[in-house]
Amino acid sequence: MGQKQCDLCAGTEFEQIGTRDRHNQPLESVICKSCGLVAHGQIPSDEELARYYATEYRQSYHGEMTPSDRRVMRAWNNGERIFSQLQPHIEPDMEVFEVGAGIGCTVKVFELNGHASRGIEPGEGFQNYSQQQLLTNVVRGDLFEQPRDKSHELILLVHVIEHFNSPRKALEYIRGMLSDNGLFYVECPNIAAPFARRSKMFHYAHIHNFTPSSLKMLAESCGFQLVQQFGTQEDPNLQMLFSCSDSTELTIDPDNYRETMQVINAATPLKYHLRPYYFTSRVKKVSSYLKEHLSAKQFVADVIQECQQFAAEQEDEAPESLRSAA
């Protein structure tokens, strides 16, 4: 086994910042001393990840192999938020492709708003739910099986980039799928925001952990340029929209390593709970969970009905020759 290299900058000097995951299982986490990218000390192979995501991930990370009503409601609301954020930046007829579409809510929200929208999802339970309940065009599939024909107009990568054993390989591949005027939206946990105590930061499924700077550095070195970062500094998730660029130059942010270490070292239980916005954020989260418990079942029933009605209308509008063939 060769010397470990940083996926962002190919650096070889690392500092250990964790030895356990959030479930107190052994997991080494390290930070690159050159660019500040946080990653597993030992990166899983493609074969290990394929097995894990196909059969174990949803159960170990979400506690369910098929989505609960609460999870569907949450994913649908997130899909509407993403559509609302991106709408000012996209054409009304722009085609959308989501990698790791999960339940398929975001794919369906874009479809209901007039976009040809499809996606791929490796997890059997979530992909089956997406097709059978939401009637989406989400199929079982892997990113690296997709044609790099520069035909895509907008690619979404929502809470997926942290799961790749090589985010660089994934972004370079996505760049080859996009047209030269295509757009790329990525969302992932923000390790620069104190969203968790240090003992709860790391998880086997999150192979890489990004700050705004490290995600921007990586994307720019893979042929993208930042259009807009959404959300606030305190937001636990990064939300960035990129356009395609001819440049693949890597420019290292010399402050990212130091600033990331400051955040990680400050994530003690006491400091975490004494954050100025800790109480309000907890109240907001508990309130949203309560709302989900009370209304999720009816919310999902209404969503499924809307999806069925939309499918029926699309069928009615299809030419007679197509309906006969179906």
Side-chain angles (χ1 to χ4, degrees):
M1 190 173 180
Q3 186 179 24
K4 176 179 170 63
Q5 285 191 336
C6 173
D7 195 62
L8 197 169
C9 71
T12 56
E13 289 191 41
F14 300 91
E15 182 174 342
Q16 187 182 78
I17 55 175
T19 59
R20 297 274 171 176
D21 69 6
R22 65 181 64 171
H23 303 299
N24 202 34
Q25 296 300 308
L27 180 70
E28 183 188 27
S29 297
V30 299
I31 184 170
C32 174
K33 297 180 76 170
S34 174
C35 68
L37 179 67
V38 174
H40 288 358
Q42 294 186 335
I43 304 297
S45 67
D46 290 338
E47 293 75 17
E48 289 171 327
L49 288 179
R51 286 194 301 270
Y52 177 71
Y53 287 117
T55 59
E56 298 179 44
Y57 166 63
R58 295 297 178 187
Q59 186 62 45
S60 72
Y61 194 66
H62 296 305
E64 54 192 25
M65 292 300 290
T66 55
S68 64
D69 288 341
R70 287 179 59 206
R71 191 167 303 284
V72 175
M73 180 179 178
R74 199 176 303 164
W76 190 269
N77 288 333
N78 282 336
E80 291 191 325
R81 170 185 56 78
I82 291 169
F83 172 75
S84 178
Q85 288 178 171
L86 297 186
Q87 189 178 17
H89 300 277
I90 63 178
E91 297 298 327
D93 59 348
M94 184 174 277
E95 294 186 1
V96 181
F97 183 77
E98 183 171 11
V99 177
I103 304 167
C105 290
T106 304
V107 167
K108 198 66 185 183
V109 167
F110 274 88
E111 184 183 354
L112 294 179
N113 283 280
H115 295 269
S117 186
R118 60 193 180 94
I120 52 173
E121 165 58 36
E124 181 178 357
F126 278 42
Q127 185 268 329
N128 284 340
Y129 182 97
S130 182
Q131 273 196 341
Q132 295 168 11
Q133 299 298 322
L134 303 184
L135 307 179
T136 64
N137 187 4
V138 173
V139 300
R140 200 88 46 81
D142 178 83
L143 168 64
F144 302 105
E145 298 168 350
Q146 309 307 308
R148 302 184 72 197
D149 54 6
K150 292 185 174 292
S151 67
H152 292 78
E153 297 177 307
L154 170 62
I155 293 181
L156 310 177
L157 200 64
V158 180
H159 289 276
V160 174
I161 191 172
E162 65 269 27
H163 300 281
F164 287 117
N165 57 9
S166 174
R168 171 172 296 283
K169 179 183 174 184
L171 294 201
E172 289 174 344
Y173 199 92
I174 287 171
R175 180 64 180 85
M177 294 170 62
L178 280 162
S179 64
D180 288 338
N181 60 350
L183 296 173
F184 168 54
Y185 177 77
V186 59
E187 193 167 303
C188 66
N190 178 12
I191 202 170
F195 60 88
R197 303 185 298 278
R198 186 168 182 171
S199 62
K200 299 292 185 181
M201 276 187 177
F202 306 115
H203 186 280
Y204 176 78
H206 289 187
I207 301 169
H208 293 84
N209 297 271
F210 292 92
T211 65
S213 182
S214 60
L215 183 57
K216 183 172 179 284
M217 278 189 279
L218 177 66
E220 288 178 344
S221 68
C222 293
F224 296 101
Q225 60 185 4
L226 183 65
V227 174
Q228 185 171 342
Q229 179 177 347
F230 305 95
T232 66
Q233 285 188 327
E234 290 78 28
D235 198 312
N237 295 314
L238 295 172
Q239 305 160 42
M240 291 184 173
L241 177 65
F242 294 91
S243 60
C244 293
S245 166
D246 293 330
S247 172
T248 55
E249 183 179 353
L250 172 62
T251 303
I252 298 293
D253 176 358
D255 298 321
N256 190 53
Y257 163 67
R258 175 183 54 80
E259 291 173 353
T260 304
M261 284 302 300
Q262 286 178 345
V263 170
I264 291 171
N265 289 330
T268 63
L270 181 61
K271 289 182 178 179
Y272 172 76
H273 289 102
L274 290 179
R275 291 175 299 159
Y277 49 88
Y278 173 79
F279 180 74
T280 55
S281 67
R282 295 302 296 176
V283 169
K284 184 177 180 181
K285 181 173 285 190
V286 170
S287 175
S288 68
Y289 285 174
L290 178 61
K291 182 180 179 182
E292 287 173 2
H293 275 296
L294 295 174
S295 61
K297 186 174 182 179
Q298 185 59 51
F299 181 95
V300 173
D302 292 342
V303 163
I304 290 174
Q305 183 179 11
E306 182 182 4
C307 293
Q308 291 173 342
Q309 183 177 346
F310 179 81
E313 291 171 354
Q314 294 296 105
E315 187 173 342
D316 289 342
E317 293 173 4
E320 182 64 33
S321 58
L322 292 179
R323 292 204 299 271
S324 300

